[in-house]
């Protein structure tokens, strides 16, 4: 009998092509859609209903069975609550990273194995190697679409019996395959932003969970230059949306967010690319090693945000996290985001950025 592969279906073109490729290869393919968020838009339509309808159309076209499973409770407890807590601290969390560890490669995999799955597959742009009883998460062939950054918190064991059919493909090839095979979502746009916010305005959504309070926008030396609508809305390095006009004493350059003082409700800014915005080292709060290198320090390449070009660095494994020193200064290192380390194609893992500083 063919090996059974349960594919995580999102309603998008990537997971659709992953499922179709696996069926072509002779696997017994089953589609499984995760419902992670319970909410309704203003028109009363559930935000996940369209995606579920697309999953049904795709699976019917491919000729595979499909099911839906509700993980909204797990998502709320393990992902969303931490998302809100981090914003309360004035940090910039990445819920997609936690969703992969806490839901997609946790309860989802367990449920899929209960369906008789021999293998688990998703439409992530990354690759994997299973060698000598170990699992290695690898960067995708399409560097622009590589999604290993979002998988940096999974454990090595969570990658047991996992396959990534799109690891060797680029996005153009995926679209062309979908068109050639008449997959219904061939032209569907990629989803962007945070999954549970969707097309809604971020400020409006966040204000439901964190009371917002206006306050002063000040320079590093304490000069008041404007008013903000709530420090939680802003990100280190942000330029647009500050609402600061020109200043008689200004230099005519754009304003940037340097820091957030949550306790005093202050947004700290600078006009122009202030040197304070650039740091050459950071410290993580803990670190999840998917693959641990030899020794307590090592040369590597690092990303501090998705799609950032890899940056040369030296990492030091310490008791409470990993210290990363960059070969060149990095702009706008944001606490709450992840620093992810690579050795060649191998994603070693990552940790939450606690603070940035100069070495």
């Amino acid at each position: 009998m063919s090996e059974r592969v349960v594919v995580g279906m999102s309603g998008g073109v990537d997971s659709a092509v992953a499922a179709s490729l696996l069926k072509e290869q002779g696997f017994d393919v089953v589609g499984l859609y995760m419902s992670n968020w319970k909410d309704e838009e203003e028109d009363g339509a559930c935000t996940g209903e369209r995606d579920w309808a697309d999953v049904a159309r795709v699976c019917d076209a491919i000729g595979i069975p499909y099911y839906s499973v509700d993980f909204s409770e797990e998502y709320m407890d393990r992902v969303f609550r931490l998302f809100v807590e981090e914003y309360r601290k004035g940090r910039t969390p990445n819920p997609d990273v936690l969703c992969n560890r806490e839901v997609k490669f946790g309860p989802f995999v367990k449920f899929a194995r209960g369906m008789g799955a021999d293998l688990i597959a998703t439409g992530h742009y990354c690759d994997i190697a299973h060698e000598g009883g170990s699992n290695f998460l690898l960067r995708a062939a399409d560097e622009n679409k590589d999604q290993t950054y979002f998988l940096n918190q999974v454990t090595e064991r969570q990658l047991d019996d996992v396959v990534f059919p799109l690891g060797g493909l680029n996005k153009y090839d995926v679209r062309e395959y979908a068109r050639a095979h008449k997959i219904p979502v061939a032209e569907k746009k990629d989803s962007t932003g945070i999954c549970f916010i969707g097309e809604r305005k971020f400020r409006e959504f966040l204000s439901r969970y964190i009371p917002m309070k206006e306050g002063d926008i000040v320079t590093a030396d304490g000069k008041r230059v404007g008013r903000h609508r709530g420090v939680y809305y802003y990100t280190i390095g942000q330029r647009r949306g500050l609402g600061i006009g020109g200043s008689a004493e200004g230099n005519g350059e754009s304003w940037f967010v340097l820091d957030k003082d949550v306790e005093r409700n202050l947004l700290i800014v600078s006009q122009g690319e202030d040197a304070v915005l650039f740091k050459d080292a950071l410290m993580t709060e803990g670190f999840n090693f998917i693959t641990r290198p030899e020794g307590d320090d090592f040369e590597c390449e690092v990303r501090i945000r998705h799609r950032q070009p890899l940056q040369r660095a030296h990492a030091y494994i310490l008791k409470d996290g990993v210290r990363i020193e960059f070969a060149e200064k990095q702009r706008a290192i944001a606490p709450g985001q992840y620093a992810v380390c690579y050795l060649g194609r191998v994603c070693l893992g990552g940790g939450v950025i606690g603070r940035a500083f100069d070495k």
Side-chain angles (χ1 to χ4, degrees):
M1 293 179 64
S2 299
E3 286 186 294
R4 169 165 286 193
V5 183
V6 172
V7 183
M9 305 292 289
S10 66
V13 65
D14 296 329
S15 59
V17 170
S20 182
L21 287 169
L22 289 166
K23 186 180 180 186
E24 280 188 347
Q25 294 167 22
F27 290 101
D28 172 21
V29 181
V30 177
L32 183 58
Y33 172 76
M34 292 182 293
S35 176
N36 291 337
W37 187 255
K38 294 296 184 185
D39 194 12
E40 291 188 348
E41 297 175 340
E42 292 180 1
D43 60 5
C46 178
T47 57
E49 287 182 359
R50 291 186 298 273
D51 288 334
W52 169 238
D54 285 336
V55 168
R57 291 196 301 138
V58 165
C59 292
D60 284 339
I62 296 173
I64 62 173
Y66 54 94
Y67 304 90
S68 175
V69 59
D70 185 350
F71 288 132
S72 57
E73 185 174 336
E74 290 87 345
Y75 192 93
M76 176 61 73
D77 290 341
R78 304 182 189 183
V79 178
F80 185 71
R81 293 191 194 284
L82 181 59
F83 168 84
V84 174
E85 288 172 9
E86 285 288 274
Y87 263 105
R88 286 187 189 278
K89 297 175 184 176
R91 306 198 334 166
T92 308
N94 191 315
D96 291 335
V97 173
L98 284 176
C99 180
N100 281 320
R101 183 186 72 190
E102 298 294 341
V103 182
K104 290 181 182 176
F105 291 87
F108 175 86
V109 169
K110 183 178 180 180
F111 188 90
R113 287 183 174 143
M115 298 172 66
D118 299 299
L119 298 171
I120 309 296
T122 72
H124 282 100
Y125 283 87
C126 54
D127 215 336
I128 195 166
H130 304 287
E131 299 176 1
S134 297
N135 305 314
F136 299 91
L137 181 64
L138 309 176
R139 285 159 46 203
D142 188 341
E143 191 66 26
N144 186 54
K145 294 295 293 183
D146 178 66
Q147 292 176 305
T148 51
Y149 181 89
F150 296 116
L151 294 172
N152 79 81
Q153 288 295 293
V154 302
T155 67
E156 184 197 351
R157 292 276 65 88
Q158 282 181 306
L159 297 174
D160 285 342
D161 304 319
V162 171
V163 292
F164 297 116
L166 306 188
L169 302 176
N170 60 47
K171 186 71 180 194
Y172 176 82
D173 292 332
V174 168
R175 291 280 187 194
E176 285 298 294
Y177 176 97
R179 294 183 186 107
H181 289 74
K182 295 182 172 53
I183 293 176
V185 293
E187 307 300 333
K188 186 176 180 178
K189 292 182 179 180
D190 293 340
S191 59
T192 58
I194 300 172
C195 57
F196 47 78
I197 295 177
E199 300 300 322
R200 291 169 295 192
K201 293 181 179 179
F202 177 73
R203 291 183 178 183
E204 178 183 306
F205 177 84
L206 195 60
S207 65
R208 298 183 188 179
Y209 302 93
I210 304 176
M212 295 300 168
K213 181 181 178 182
E214 290 190 2
D216 287 336
I217 302 176
V218 300
T219 60
D221 59 5
K223 180 182 178 181
R224 182 182 179 279
V225 294
R227 295 281 289 175
H228 66 74
R229 296 177 58 190
V231 292
Y232 310 106
Y233 293 136
Y234 304 89
T235 302
I236 305 299
Q238 179 178 332
R239 180 179 66 182
R240 296 179 179 176
L242 300 183
I244 305 175
S247 170
E249 301 176 6
N251 56 22
E253 296 185 47
S254 298
W255 292 91
F256 294 84
V257 176
L258 285 182
D259 202 357
K260 297 183 286 186
D261 188 330
V262 175
E263 290 187 4
R264 295 193 296 163
N265 197 31
L266 297 176
L267 187 68
I268 303 167
V269 299
S270 173
Q271 194 170 24
E273 290 279 294
D274 196 301
V276 178
L277 199 59
F278 293 81
K279 304 292 184 183
D280 56 16
L282 64 83
M283 186 67 195
T284 69
E285 299 173 351
F287 198 93
N288 173 64
F289 278 108
I290 303 170
T291 300
R292 181 170 177 138
E294 295 182 3
D296 291 331
D297 68 283
F298 53 93
E299 296 289 334
C300 61
E301 292 180 298
V302 178
R303 280 196 178 106
I304 57 172
R305 60 182 65 90
H306 177 48
R307 288 187 177 176
Q308 180 197 29
L310 290 168
Q311 305 294 306
R312 291 187 300 114
H314 197 99
Y316 301 85
I317 303 175
L318 305 176
K319 183 178 179 181
D320 53 351
V322 171
R323 176 187 171 108
I324 296 172
E325 297 183 355
F326 294 95
E328 297 180 0
K329 286 182 177 292
Q330 302 295 304
R331 181 185 182 279
I333 300 175
Q337 287 286 319
Y338 291 85
V340 182
C341 295
Y342 297 83
L343 195 58
R345 286 191 66 204
V346 178
C347 176
L348 301 175
V352 176
I353 299 171
R355 60 189 178 94
F357 52 92
D358 287 318
K359 58 188 177 184

